[in-house]
Amino acid sequence: MTNDNSDRFDIGRRPVLGGIAGALSTGAVGSAAATGGDHHHETSDESATEESAEQPPEAVPDEFGSDVDILNYALTLEYLEATFYTRGIRNIDESALEQHFEEWGPIGDRVLNRLRVVRDHEIRHVEVLAETVEALGGEPVQPPEFDFGTAVQDPAEFIATAATLEDVGVSAYAGAAPYIDTFELIAPALSIHSVEARHASFLRELNGEIGFPEAFDDPRSKSEVLELASGFIVE
């Protein structure tokens, strides 16, 4: 295990074909479906049935001034996730992660590669969001300084923290998406949201939880999300 906490993921400026910035320049709009999640322990069949009768949540308050504000908000969260996975995968020995999941059989053998895919997704989200802010004439927010403590050193803590961060990210996108003004941004933004929801479900299962505990997920406001994220941000 190493103690190198530098952030070496490459945030380039590659062209985005079919991505958010591409949609802005071409007017092309795709389609996407998305689900999100809050943090829950695994439920019984009976309780899961009861939960499925819940009603869809109401929208959270609008705390954004513009689409650039929303994109920079999302960019900050993607910086957090990309940095977290980059540090954790670099710091934790492969053998330690493999040992943590050794009772999972063939699935356990694939966990590290799947985590690398999640990391790469988060890095790509950073690139695309930064490019899109620039395409809108804005200035991409700079990455904060992060401190994840032992969560990027201990396999069990790494997985548990990843599950929590993914849930927070999904709820953040769900809370912000209704306030996007630029129509061409909506479908690409939801496509990120749906991928984050897939990440959240995967990490929940790795953490011993059900990946999809409820029929509807609660969005979080900007204030709620930033309060949760502040625990990892060094002032």
Side-chain angles (χ1 to χ4, degrees):
M1 180 174 70
T2 70
N3 291 320
D4 182 6
N5 283 338
S6 61
D7 304 322
R8 296 177 181 171
F9 56 85
D10 179 22
I11 305 176
R13 286 293 181 268
R14 302 195 297 270
V16 185
L17 300 179
I20 300 178
L24 283 173
S25 61
T26 65
V29 179
S31 61
T35 58
D38 199 0
H39 193 72
H40 295 272
H41 295 291
E42 188 164 355
T43 60
S44 66
D45 291 340
E46 181 178 356
S47 61
T49 301
E50 292 174 354
E51 288 176 341
S52 68
E54 293 180 354
Q55 296 300 312
E58 296 181 358
V60 298
D62 182 1
E63 298 178 287
F64 304 99
S66 67
D67 285 347
V68 168
D69 289 341
I70 293 175
L71 291 168
N72 271 329
Y73 165 65
L75 179 56
T76 298
L77 298 177
E78 296 292 354
Y79 280 138
L80 186 152
E81 292 181 331
T83 305
F84 174 77
Y85 286 110
T86 299
R87 290 184 187 175
I89 291 172
R90 181 170 59 241
N91 289 350
I92 300 172
D93 288 337
E94 290 187 18
S95 59
L97 271 172
E98 291 171 354
Q99 183 177 2
H100 184 70
F101 292 104
E102 62 182 355
E103 297 181 359
W104 289 52
I107 295 177
D109 296 337
R110 296 193 292 267
V111 167
L112 181 57
N113 284 335
R114 297 295 188 271
L115 291 172
R116 290 190 180 113
V117 171
V118 173
R119 174 201 60 195
D120 293 345
H121 287 173
E122 308 299 5
I123 292 172
R124 187 60 181 137
H125 291 169
V126 166
E127 294 173 340
V128 171
L129 288 167
E131 291 167 352
T132 306
V133 170
E134 292 179 342
L136 290 174
E139 181 71 23
V141 67
Q142 293 301 303
E145 292 292 329
F146 298 111
D147 184 357
F148 300 103
T150 56
V152 291
Q153 298 174 1
D154 176 76
E157 191 176 353
F158 176 67
I159 296 299
T161 303
T164 298
L165 291 179
E166 293 292 351
D167 276 351
V168 170
V170 171
S171 65
Y173 275 94
Y179 301 109
I180 296 175
D181 290 326
T182 305
F183 179 77
E184 289 81 6
L185 290 174
I186 296 174
L190 288 178
S191 73
I192 295 179
H193 180 210
S194 63
V195 170
E196 295 292 349
R198 294 173 193 266
H199 294 171
S201 182
F202 173 64
L203 267 301
R204 279 174 172 273
E205 296 289 347
L206 292 184
N207 198 42
E209 304 168 81
I210 184 171
F212 38 89
E214 297 178 351
F216 304 101
D217 288 319
D218 293 326
R220 284 191 174 99
S221 68
K222 179 181 179 181
S223 296
E224 291 171 329
V225 169
L226 293 181
E227 182 178 357
L228 292 169
S230 66
F232 301 105
I233 297 175
V234 179
E235 296 295 341

